[in-house]
Amino acid sequence: QSHYSEESGVDKDGTPKHWLVKTAPIRNARGEIVAAMEMNLDISERKHLETRLERSEKKYHDIFNNIPNPVFVLDRDNLEILDCNVSAESLYAYTQAELVGQSFLSLFAEDGDRWRKILQQRRALQRIKHITKGGQRLFVNMRLSPSEYPGREALLVTISDITKRLETEQQLIHASKMATLGEMSTGVAHELNQPLAVIKTASSFFMKKVGRKEAIDPEILGTLAKEMDSHVDRATKIINHMRQFGRMSDPELSRISLNDTLQRAFEIFHQQLKVRGIDVHWDLADDLPQMMGDADRLEQVVINLLINARDAIEEAAGAGGRKVIEIASWFTARRICFRVCDSGVGIPPAGVSKIFDPFYTTKKVGKGTGLGLSISYGIVKECGGSIRAEDSDLGGACFVCRFPHIEPAGQAAEEVPL
């Protein structure tokens, strides 16, 4: 009978060889087998290449599965998970069998469908909310790159889990807020004393009239009641603002008005400047476009800059310097900007390159932690912006922050963390 096989052996010098072998009987006119024919095809080179390919694939899988970050291979069209490594199993608490075949969008904590076009267009995404099998929320950074998978185009997605880092940053930012609130406590007490004094005066007037059993003129009664009501509202506003500023909140970018943020920060801090005789000059642009940012955190940035300006002015005031702070906002074709400038002592030339480093401070011992500008730098970067120190026309320092415009309404990218 005919026979087909693949055989292996060694040649004369001991080198491994591989053949495809086919044998067939040779028959005479009567159909009798009179001989056998054997044909050999040398496939040694192909076998060597297959062995090398097998080793290469094993090496690739070993590397793929031992990458410490989760890695996903996605179908570029429908974002189906084609493959993932062991780290993905560990982070998301799914087995590989559970992950492969499901949509990558199912890992997003909210509104996964809106990410479809974004994932196919962007190459890097930051602070994306994902969710594990057990419902635990994660914050991740993602890098995406086009790739190929047998028979289809693919996306290679590398995940970095930044949840613990953000938790640590949150704690540090909250500690900085508490320190700021401590500094502002005297000013806040003064702010509350004013409405309380009005209420006290009005209530004392009422008590005297009642004690003497005297009638109160309805017009006077209405006026005093209105004053008391408005000052209660004022005190409530101050307290609510302090509570909102002091609370620990998750970082969340949304549409905000930069001018409103500047004014709210000034409201909570202006008493600190007033009691020190510091004049504040405003130059806010009208019709300032909205931007993507975290209003609570940007408010902290402004307060940090005002604290630094106050301290620098007080240091300069000892030498008879002016006491002026300028707060300005403006916008260009691509940026929304604001600056806080002061007439203080300025920044030493040697400190300009280190001014945003953690724990670096030019203040005297016990005056500063060196964290205010470092935290401010991180918050501004989270909003997609930049911050830099410049010389001020007032003679001191000037901190300028710039942020990108929001993309036209209706585009999904406007909601993507920058």
Side-chain angles (χ1 to χ4, degrees):
Q1 295 180 359
S2 296
H3 177 73
Y4 180 86
S5 65
E6 184 178 313
E7 306 293 341
S8 300
V10 293
D11 63 10
K12 187 176 181 180
D13 63 3
T15 304
K17 287 290 185 179
H18 305 274
W19 305 273
L20 286 179
V21 179
K22 182 169 185 180
T23 60
I26 298 176
R27 302 176 185 274
N28 59 17
R30 296 188 298 272
E32 299 170 341
I33 297 174
V34 296
M37 178 178 64
E38 179 177 289
M39 293 177 289
N40 298 325
L41 176 64
D42 189 351
I43 59 169
S44 300
E45 186 62 28
R46 192 192 80 182
K47 292 293 290 186
H48 292 327
L49 290 174
E50 287 179 355
T51 301
R52 288 170 59 188
L53 178 61
E54 185 179 342
R55 289 174 180 170
S56 176
E57 288 182 346
K58 184 178 183 303
K59 181 179 179 181
Y60 157 77
H61 283 291
D62 288 344
I63 294 173
F64 182 73
N65 284 316
N66 283 286
I67 294 174
N69 288 356
V71 181
F72 292 90
V73 182
L74 311 180
D75 184 286
R76 197 180 301 184
D77 294 326
N78 60 21
L79 302 181
E80 175 191 346
I81 299 174
L82 304 176
D83 199 2
C84 65
N85 64 356
V86 174
S87 297
E89 295 181 327
S90 175
L91 180 61
Y92 291 94
Y94 289 98
T95 65
Q96 186 182 41
E98 290 173 324
L99 287 169
V100 172
Q102 73 167 291
S103 172
F104 185 63
L105 300 176
S106 64
L107 298 179
F108 285 76
E110 52 191 27
D111 197 12
D113 285 339
R114 77 181 179 88
W115 293 99
R116 185 180 303 276
K117 184 180 292 185
I118 297 170
L119 289 169
Q120 293 170 337
Q121 294 177 348
R122 301 285 287 271
R123 292 294 169 261
L125 296 171
Q126 296 180 348
R127 278 194 168 181
I128 307 302
K129 292 179 184 177
H130 273 190
I131 192 165
T132 68
K133 183 179 180 179
Q136 180 185 356
R137 189 174 64 170
L138 303 171
F139 285 93
V140 301
N141 290 342
M142 300 168 55
R143 297 197 65 84
L144 304 96
S145 58
S147 185
E148 291 185 359
Y149 199 75
R152 64 183 83 183
E153 294 182 333
L155 280 176
L156 193 64
V157 182
T158 305
I159 302 290
S160 298
D161 180 13
I162 59 170
T163 308
K164 290 183 179 179
R165 192 197 81 190
L166 289 183
E167 289 175 352
T168 303
E169 287 179 0
Q170 278 282 82
Q171 293 169 358
L172 185 61
I173 290 172
H174 190 64
S176 177
K177 281 186 176 183
M178 293 300 100
T180 302
L181 285 174
E183 281 201 46
M184 296 188 298
S185 58
T186 302
V188 171
H190 182 78
E191 283 282 290
L192 290 174
N193 275 336
Q194 290 180 342
L196 288 175
V198 173
I199 296 170
K200 176 68 175 177
T201 301
S203 63
S204 296
F205 174 78
F206 291 147
M207 290 172 65
K208 287 179 181 178
K209 286 290 186 179
V210 171
R212 296 171 185 172
K213 298 182 179 180
E214 296 177 356
I216 302 175
D217 185 272
E219 186 176 346
I220 295 176
L221 178 62
T223 300
L224 290 179
K226 186 177 180 180
E227 282 294 314
M228 292 174 68
D229 184 69
S230 66
H231 280 82
V232 167
D233 289 343
R234 180 183 173 188
T236 301
K237 182 180 178 182
I238 294 169
I239 293 169
N240 287 340
H241 195 174
M242 295 294 288
R243 289 175 60 190
Q244 184 178 5
F245 178 77
R247 69 186 174 90
M248 181 179 287
S249 59
D250 290 333
E252 191 72 42
L253 299 189
S254 59
R255 289 173 177 265
I256 65 169
S257 167
L258 180 59
N259 281 349
D260 289 347
T261 301
L262 293 172
Q263 290 166 340
R264 281 174 57 82
F266 180 73
E267 280 179 11
I268 203 173
F269 196 75
H270 80 280
Q271 192 65 33
Q272 291 281 319
L273 306 176
K274 183 178 179 181
V275 297
R276 289 169 171 80
I278 298 174
D279 294 325
V280 178
H281 298 169
W282 289 87
D283 184 18
L284 301 185
D286 296 328
D287 301 323
L288 195 69
Q290 287 189 318
M291 55 171 278
M292 294 297 291
D294 187 319
D296 289 342
R297 292 192 170 204
L298 283 176
E299 193 174 316
Q300 185 178 0
V301 171
V302 179
I303 290 175
N304 286 342
L305 297 180
L306 290 175
I307 289 174
N308 286 345
R310 178 203 66 187
D311 293 345
I313 287 171
E314 286 197 312
E315 189 174 343
R322 292 186 298 165
K323 295 185 174 183
V324 179
I325 292 176
E326 180 191 75
I327 303 174
S329 67
W330 70 98
F331 62 96
T332 64
R334 300 183 62 185
R335 298 291 182 205
I336 301 170
C337 316
F338 81 88
R339 66 172 177 262
V340 176
C341 306
D342 63 68
S343 60
V345 293
I347 303 171
V352 173
S353 62
K354 299 181 288 185
I355 197 71
F356 297 108
D357 292 349
F359 305 110
Y360 177 81
T361 180
T362 59
K363 299 177 183 178
K364 296 178 181 178
V365 176
K367 276 286 189 179
T369 62
L371 289 175
L373 285 177
S374 174
I375 290 172
S376 298
Y377 178 86
I379 293 172
V380 171
K381 294 294 285 184
E382 287 169 4
C383 298
S386 64
I387 179 171
R388 60 177 296 177
E390 301 175 353
D391 291 332
S392 169
D393 293 337
L394 299 175
C398 193
F399 288 89
V400 182
C401 298
R402 296 177 174 86
F403 304 92
H405 279 288
I406 295 178
E407 296 186 32
Q411 294 188 14
E414 71 179 44
E415 299 180 1
V416 179
L418 298 169

